[in-house]
Amino acid sequence: MTDDDNRQARADALLSTTQEEQHRRLKVFLGAAPGVGKTFAMLSAARELKRQGVDVVVGLVETHGRAETAALLEGMELLPRRTVRYRERDFTEFDLDAALARKPAVLLVDELAHRNLPGSRHERRWQDIAELLDAGIEVYTALNVQHLESLNDQMRRITGVTVRETVPDAFLDRARDIMLIDLPPRELIERLKQGKVYVPETAAAALDAFFSPTNLAALRELAVETVASHVESDLREHMLARGGAMPVRRRVLAAIDGHAQSEYLVRVARRIAERRGAPWSVVYVDTGGAGDPARRERTDAAMRLARRLGGEAIVLRGHSVANELLAHADREGVGQIILGRTRERPLARMLGRSLTQQLLRRGAHLELAIIATPVERAKSRRRLQRSATRGSRGEYAYAATTTLAAFALAFAVDRYLSVANLSLIFLTAVLVVAVRTRMSVAVYTALLCFVGDNFFFTPPRYTLMISNAGDVLTVGLFLVAALVSSRLATRLSSQVVSLRTAQVRSRALLALGQRLAASADAEGVRDVGAQAMAKALDAQVAILARDASQRLQAMAASPRGMTLSMQDLAAADWSEQHVEPAGRYTDTINAASCWTLPLGSEDNRLGVAALRFAEGVAEPDPERRSLALAMAQDIGQALERARLADELESARVQGETERLRSALLSSVSHDLRSPLASMIGAAGTLSSYGEQLPPEERSQLLEAILGEGQRLDRYIQNLLDMTRLGHGTLKLNRDWVDVAEIVAAAVARLRKLFPDLRVDTVLPPDTVLLYVHPALIEQALFNILENAARFSPPGEAVRITVRGAGERLLIDVADRGPGIPEEERARIFDMFYSVARGDRAPQGTGLGLAICRGMIGAHGGSVEALPGDGAGTTIRINLPLPPPPDTQP
């Protein structure tokens, strides 16, 4: 490593240390046993802070009737406790919401390992404190060493007591300071006898059990080791931050197999990694077998324990445990592998193929630790043997039945087949059993068939002797082939099960992805996601999101009538805020009936998926849990895409609105000022020189004022029509009218503006009735005629053709003007589309054709621009042709 690399590493470490110091707001007063003075020391430190002017509040302190401890509470601000009703009795608990609302600089919360009553937000008090730390509140708390999760097995061996209320060691890593409150065993026992720890009746029993001198000495040693390991870890970080030389940290890996020692190995791995200051992980290798439910449950429990203790839980998949462990160790830089002592098959040991032997032979670069578990290993072995015996009776009965069927078939064809051919019948039976059962049952079948083939069918019959050397080879090869075939068939069956599970997962994710891709908005994504998750996971599913009032509501559910309790909503709210699962199967608001999964990320919280499994369903297995998390991730990504699409559409609409606003301002400024300027100029001339002007000029000026006023009126009318169309307030007063009358009225209005224009009209011979708003259709036709007239060359006619086409009526208006390029024909109906053709004459408003499209569209028709016959443009109006009024029902 170069000097620059060293400086960069020191800078990164210093920055990391500084950031950790800023986020570490926890101070733990650690003791070896109850009664050593943890709460007294915590209150004394708090009073000193208060004397210095620090905002200190007592959230919860248990004095246990000790007068000297209660005296320290005088003058301190006490946070009121909340009342909890449990089993027809009232209890008081720490009020987390009140503490968050008060938000003091320092908060005292006693008994870190306390288990909250059912119905609380979190199951354990350390989770309450974690939320306080995340909110920026510094917390003082007290803890006895026996409550540390990684020491649970040692506590049981030392004291004979199983501690139920534990705290993950990873939580203790958040502590900025750990103060060891120590008291010699002799003095603690004396305090116990004086009644300063427990009441006299309880003290006598405690002296005989937990508080023996031997136990207290062992607990005191563990407390000192715990504090020393944290001091060493802090020292290591500070040395690295200041450029001190540190050894390379190699990862510690614990390999578990789902047997009873798995949790014990996890705790051992945590302690070893803590002493080394190294990262650690727990690995389980899934070889594809179905496995028994008890083993799977123990594996899941060990994985959960690893995550609670701050380690990484990993599931690998492969046929060889040794290969997967070694490959993972090479990829992740593992320095030590920890294994438990498990029973190895005698044949595997003889061949040197046991897991331990393979790791020793091929992993020479690794440290291999074989951990011997205590008495629980023998108990678990007996338990597993009983479970295997009960679970395998059906398989052995199936093997026996299949073997008997093979013997029956062999006896039936004995006179026709040789010994070698008869062996094929038994080999088939072995394969049938191997595909349906475990390896041991297949071997059992192979041995039965081997003995039976030798006894009943190999000369001399009804003995185990074989007279023919060829038959010896046949029977021997049969046994070898049966064993090999059973092994291959069993492995194939396991692979099929594993592939089937993977296929189900892939099919569910593929179907979800396809349906999400077809969803156009967030509402559709939520509906699709709820239905897909409910179908794939066999559960009730609700997708929750914030409504307009920022309340979390169920936006989609499968089934539709799914309801959520207040605890479900509380779990969903917590899950969304912390972007972590909550509710059922977790340690946060686990009284809820739903398991809640966040959708999105910390930067984009997009809602929560609430899954409710049947009451009798235990915690989902790893495959089911993994599928649920993957589907929630896909739904979150789809919601994110929908949100981005909405934002892009909003940006596009805003840009289009801004363009229209600019075009409107430009049009208004031009099309209002031009006629007004002409009118003001003509009126001013008449006002100043009216009597002096000849009558002919006065008449021309008055006609100019009238014409410009009419033009201005049409422009304002167009603006009003577009406003009504845009807001959907345009009302249709339909009536029956002859299309010839509409054409005649529009042509008459056109002649007033263009007296010299020639208009050719082609009408159908029969009367054609329309059920429309006559004035609107006339206005639309007039706008098209005016547009055609403005661009028709002098002397050229505008042609109107009316004809029927089935149940539609077509009105074509053709001019001989310059025409419109094909790529711009659809755009001439847009408002304020500025080109020098179409509805863009020097005196055009830019609204005529847009209004025409809106009016015709309100009647269920359409307008389109077509190329003219040789030259010019044809505008076609397409209207529905209703049945005559006398045929309507």
Side-chain angles (χ1 to χ4, degrees):
M1 181 179 289
T2 65
D3 293 340
D4 290 340
D5 293 336
N6 287 326
R7 284 194 296 270
Q8 182 65 35
R10 290 196 298 270
D12 293 341
L14 183 58
L15 178 61
S16 175
T17 302
T18 304
Q19 292 175 344
E20 288 182 4
E21 290 295 332
Q22 293 175 352
H23 292 290
R24 284 184 174 183
R25 300 183 178 93
L26 178 64
K27 186 170 185 176
V28 179
F29 293 81
L30 182 69
V36 297
K38 302 180 300 297
T39 305
F40 188 90
M42 180 174 65
L43 286 172
S44 300
R47 293 184 68 88
E48 177 61 24
L49 288 178
K50 185 175 181 62
R51 188 184 65 80
Q52 298 174 8
V54 179
D55 182 18
V56 181
V57 174
V58 177
L60 182 141
V61 164
E62 299 289 355
T63 63
H64 298 290
R66 300 163 191 161
E68 63 273 18
T69 304
L72 294 177
L73 291 173
E74 296 180 3
M76 302 288 291
E77 179 182 349
L78 302 177
L79 200 67
R81 302 188 184 187
R82 65 183 181 91
T83 303
V84 178
R85 187 75 174 174
Y86 181 63
R87 293 184 179 178
E88 306 302 326
R89 293 181 58 189
D90 290 332
F91 299 88
T92 59
E93 283 278 18
F94 170 61
D95 195 336
L96 176 58
D97 291 326
L100 291 170
R102 173 64 175 80
K103 199 172 184 179
V106 178
L107 183 70
L108 274 64
V109 184
D110 204 1
E111 296 189 356
L112 177 61
H114 172 75
R115 183 190 294 270
N116 295 327
L117 289 173
S120 301
R121 182 183 308 175
H122 300 297
E123 182 182 7
R124 304 295 180 88
R125 183 165 293 164
W126 65 265
Q127 295 172 307
D128 294 339
I129 295 179
E131 189 166 342
L132 293 171
L133 297 174
D134 293 337
I137 302 174
E138 185 172 351
V139 179
Y140 282 18
T141 187
L143 176 71
N144 289 323
V145 72
Q146 71 260 27
H147 293 293
L148 281 176
E149 180 71 52
S150 64
L151 301 178
N152 195 263
D153 294 297
Q154 287 183 264
M155 290 298 130
R156 185 165 50 249
R157 290 202 306 274
I158 293 172
T159 65
V161 177
T162 300
V163 180
R164 302 297 181 185
E165 297 178 337
T166 59
V167 176
D169 293 53
F171 179 77
L172 211 63
D173 293 338
R174 302 185 63 173
R176 181 186 59 204
D177 299 311
I178 299 180
M179 293 191 63
L180 178 62
I181 310 302
D182 189 31
L183 196 66
R186 181 180 53 80
E187 296 184 21
L188 180 57
I189 292 174
E190 187 63 30
R191 283 173 53 83
L192 189 66
K193 291 179 179 178
Q194 295 173 2
K196 296 182 178 181
V197 179
Y198 297 128
V199 295
E201 294 81 4
T202 307
L207 282 172
D208 295 334
F210 190 86
F211 283 84
S212 67
T214 303
N215 287 352
L216 291 178
L219 293 174
R220 191 183 185 197
E221 181 179 353
L222 286 177
V224 172
E225 288 181 357
T226 300
V227 175
S229 66
H230 279 270
V231 171
E232 181 182 358
S233 177
D234 291 341
L235 178 60
R236 185 184 299 108
E237 292 177 3
H238 284 287
M239 288 179 62
L240 183 60
R242 286 156 178 77
M246 295 298 299
V248 177
R249 298 194 307 168
R250 299 297 301 275
R251 179 176 290 272
V252 175
L253 179 67
I256 63 173
D257 56 5
H259 291 297
Q261 79 276 12
S262 296
E263 292 191 30
Y264 178 81
L265 288 178
V266 171
R267 295 187 176 95
V268 170
R270 158 70 192 190
R271 291 196 296 271
I272 293 176
E274 177 69 20
R275 286 195 295 268
R276 294 190 171 198
W280 63 289
S281 55
V282 176
V283 165
Y284 171 74
V285 179
D286 184 359
T287 56
D292 68 294
R295 182 175 179 180
R296 182 179 294 275
E297 179 62 29
R298 286 191 294 269
T299 302
D300 294 343
M303 292 296 191
R304 290 195 297 270
L305 174 62
R307 286 189 286 268
R308 288 202 306 271
L309 295 178
E312 185 180 4
I314 302 170
V315 176
L316 302 176
R317 288 178 171 83
H319 302 306
S320 172
V321 176
N323 290 344
E324 296 301 324
L325 286 178
L326 291 172
H328 179 77
D330 291 338
R331 286 195 306 267
E332 302 298 329
V334 172
Q336 182 179 25
I337 296 180
I338 299 174
L339 297 172
R341 293 187 63 182
T342 57
R343 291 178 302 157
E344 304 284 1
R345 294 186 178 91
L347 181 60
R349 271 202 310 269
M350 291 172 59
L351 299 176
R353 296 187 58 187
S354 69
L355 175 61
T356 304
Q357 290 169 329
Q358 291 183 66
L359 293 178
L360 286 172
R361 184 172 63 253
R362 300 167 53 192
H365 57 292
L366 300 172
E367 295 182 40
L368 192 62
I370 310 298
I371 304 299
T373 56
V375 182
E376 309 222 350
R377 179 172 178 269
K379 294 181 179 179
S380 67
R381 184 187 299 115
R382 290 193 297 270
R383 195 159 52 245
L384 286 173
Q385 289 174 347
R386 289 194 299 269
S387 175
T389 301
R390 288 193 301 268
S392 59
R393 288 175 182 172
E395 294 178 340
Y396 283 103
Y398 173 77
T401 303
T402 304
T403 304
L404 288 177
F407 276 116
L409 180 60
F411 279 117
V413 298
D414 181 22
R415 69 181 65 182
Y416 307 109
L417 300 178
S418 64
V419 173
N421 292 330
L422 291 175
S423 298
L424 295 178
I425 297 177
F426 297 114
L427 183 60
T428 302
V430 173
L431 290 176
V432 171
V433 173
V435 170
R436 297 287 301 273
T437 62
R438 296 175 288 115
M439 178 63 187
S440 58
V441 181
V443 171
Y444 164 77
T445 306
L447 293 176
L448 280 181
C449 292
F450 169 74
V451 173
D453 187 18
N454 185 6
F455 187 81
F456 292 106
F457 301 102
T458 303
R461 300 195 176 198
Y462 310 114
T463 68
L464 295 179
M465 301 293 295
I466 301 176
S467 60
N468 190 347
D471 292 341
V472 173
L473 181 61
T474 299
V475 175
L477 289 177
F478 160 74
L479 179 60
V480 173
L483 293 175
V484 172
S485 300
S486 63
R487 175 60 178 169
L488 294 177
T490 305
R491 175 176 293 184
L492 179 61
S493 177
S494 300
Q495 291 176 351
V496 169
V497 173
S498 180
L499 288 174
R500 186 178 295 119
T501 302
Q503 185 182 19
V504 170
R505 172 189 171 94
S506 301
R507 187 183 301 117
L509 292 178
L510 178 60
L512 175 63
Q514 291 174 342
R515 297 186 62 187
L516 290 177
S519 301
D521 54 10
E523 182 180 358
V525 169
R526 296 188 186 101
D527 287 337
V528 166
Q531 295 171 12
M533 293 186 78
K535 181 179 179 181
L537 301 172
D538 192 21
Q540 297 181 7
V541 180
I543 305 294
L544 296 88
R546 299 283 176 183
D547 58 13
S549 60
Q550 293 302 306
R551 295 181 58 189
L552 205 59
Q553 299 289 344
M555 300 298 182
S558 181
R560 295 287 182 185
M562 179 180 176
T563 59
L564 300 175
S565 64
M566 294 301 297
Q567 290 178 328
D568 294 332
L569 292 174
D573 184 75
W574 190 93
S575 183
E576 184 193 42
Q577 292 182 13
H578 295 79
V579 198
E580 292 181 5
R584 191 178 178 186
Y585 312 127
T586 70
D587 293 333
T588 302
I589 318 182
N590 55 10
S593 63
C594 291
W595 179 35
T596 59
L597 304 176
L599 304 177
S601 60
E602 292 186 2
D603 297 330
N604 296 306
R605 294 176 172 87
L606 302 172
V608 177
L611 286 73
R612 178 182 295 152
F613 295 93
E615 289 294 333
V617 176
E619 182 174 357
D621 54 47
E623 287 79 10
R624 216 171 177 189
R625 177 185 289 268
S626 176
L627 178 59
L629 294 174
M631 297 183 77
Q633 184 178 9
D634 287 352
I635 295 172
Q637 292 175 351
L639 288 173
E640 176 68 11
R641 288 196 299 271
R643 184 185 66 82
L644 292 176
D646 289 342
E647 291 180 356
L648 289 174
E649 180 64 17
S650 299
R652 188 193 66 79
V653 171
Q654 184 177 1
E656 183 67 16
T657 303
E658 182 63 23
R659 187 188 69 80
L660 292 176
R661 186 183 70 84
S662 301
L664 177 61
L665 291 176
S666 175
S667 177
V668 168
S669 65
H670 175 270
D671 293 318
L672 284 181
R673 290 180 62 185
S674 296
L676 284 175
S678 299
M679 294 169 66
I680 293 172
T685 300
L686 287 173
S687 176
S688 301
Y689 308 102
E691 298 297 332
Q692 304 174 17
L693 294 174
E696 183 179 350
E697 292 186 10
R698 286 201 303 269
S699 177
Q700 291 177 354
L701 291 174
L702 289 174
E703 289 179 359
I705 292 174
L706 179 60
E708 294 298 331
Q710 291 174 345
R711 184 179 133 194
L712 186 61
D713 178 69
R714 290 195 304 273
Y715 179 70
I716 293 175
Q717 185 61 40
N718 284 343
L719 286 178
L720 293 176
D721 289 343
M722 282 309 303
T723 301
R724 288 196 294 268
L725 286 170
H727 289 281
T729 58
L730 187 66
K731 295 183 179 180
L732 299 180
N733 298 318
R734 293 178 181 267
D735 196 3
W736 290 101
V737 62
D738 188 354
V739 66
E741 295 181 13
I742 295 177
V743 172
V747 171
R749 289 176 59 187
L750 183 67
R751 293 192 184 280
K752 295 180 181 180
L753 294 177
F754 304 94
D756 300 330
L757 179 68
R758 183 162 58 92
V759 180
D760 297 335
T761 305
V762 179
L763 298 173
D766 299 327
T767 300
V768 178
L769 295 179
L770 294 175
Y771 189 64
V772 295
H773 189 146
L776 293 181
I777 299 299
E778 178 191 330
Q779 180 65 41
L781 181 58
F782 172 76
N783 287 350
I784 295 175
L785 288 171
E786 182 185 13
N787 187 77
R790 292 187 185 281
F791 285 93
S792 290
E796 294 287 347
V798 173
R799 184 180 181 85
I800 304 174
T801 304
V802 180
R803 59 187 177 89
E807 297 181 353
R808 311 293 294 185
L809 180 69
L810 305 180
I811 304 175
D812 292 344
V813 178
D815 63 63
R816 306 292 293 179
I820 304 173
E822 182 178 358
E823 64 272 10
E824 297 185 4
R825 287 173 191 159
R827 303 183 62 187
I828 66 171
F829 298 99
D830 296 340
M831 290 188 296
F832 310 112
Y833 179 61
S834 55
V835 292
R837 56 177 62 87
D839 188 19
R840 301 299 175 265
Q843 295 181 342
T845 62
L847 293 173
L849 293 182
I851 293 172
C852 174
R853 182 178 62 177
M855 290 177 174
I856 298 300
H859 289 81
S862 61
V863 184
E864 58 180 334
L866 303 172
D869 186 10
T873 301
T874 298
I875 304 296
R876 174 172 292 175
I877 298 176
N878 189 327
L879 287 170
L881 195 60
D886 56 349
T887 64
Q888 288 190 344

